[in-house]
Amino acid sequence: MMTVKEISKITGISIRTLHYYDEIGLLLPTEKNEAGYRFYDNKALEMLQQILFFREFDIPLKEIKTVIKENGLNRNQILEMQKKMLLLKKERIEKLITHIDTILKGEDVMNFEIFTKTEIQEMFKMMFDKMPDKIRQTAIAEFGSVEKWKNHYMEVVSSEDMQKRYAKVVEWYGGKEAFLNIQPLSKEVAESYKKREEMILYKLVKKQGCDVNSFEVKEIVGEYAFVMKQFCQLKQEKGLMMGLAQYYHNQKIIPMIDKKYGIGASEYFAQAIAAFYKKY
């Protein structure tokens, strides 16, 4: 058993901080004697090490407590999580150092990178795991293998053009961390949302002769916005919806949308969404 003073000496954490961790239930001493002195065993020291790893990323103590105590994760799962976080931090630091070296050489090149290689790999895995089997198999057949598909995805998402586009998406989510930490929907739920979106668009196209500023049209667009906000797990959906308005107004997209929903549908969708947000 080790005293608070000994733990403080080993870790560099102040005695006052250790007392505070005990008060908030984050790191409880292994035992207390009658005089109120705290004692810690090796397991408690290991727990403190995990807490310090998370504090390295400025994660609030309340969130650390949730991860360690309430999520039911075992030691190895927590270490794997922390390892990924450290790798991401390492990658970001290396990228910053490289960029500073470039500036020192007199080559002040703007860096538009939003996601690191590690983050893009995680994005591919999330997409792959949640994709409907039929679509997944079709994609694998098209690329020849999962690895070739992944390499293509990495190349496309790493491009400067795509990074700029993702910058806007990240803005909709309120930051990169919020975007990367969204909980992926199950295949069944995703398919259900897709069907609901189609039903709304069919309902909207039936109003094609109506003024896009009319209440009945705005009511449908409002429903569309609500569904997309839920589906994409956004805080604010305006950016996404205005992006959809531009998508429906794209000359390459119009033939495809009109074929499914009828002539003029794509342009009407674009106008209706833009009118809802008072911008077109």
Side-chain angles (χ1 to χ4, degrees), residues 169-198:
V169 175
V170 165
E171 183 183 323
W172 299 342
Y173 280 90
K176 187 167 75 168
E177 295 304 319
F179 173 77
L180 291 172
N181 289 323
I182 58 172
Q183 296 299 313
L185 300 172
S186 67
K187 298 172 192 175
E188 294 76 16
V189 172
E191 288 172 358
S192 175
Y193 270 110
K194 188 64 182 174
K195 288 178 181 177
R196 190 173 173 190
E197 180 189 7
E198 288 181 350

Side-chain angles (χ1 to χ4, degrees), residues 8-22:
S8 177
K9 187 175 180 180
I10 292 171
T11 63
I13 301 299
S14 69
I15 294 174
R16 184 177 179 181
T17 298
L18 290 169
H19 285 175
Y20 180 65
Y21 287 176
D22 179 15

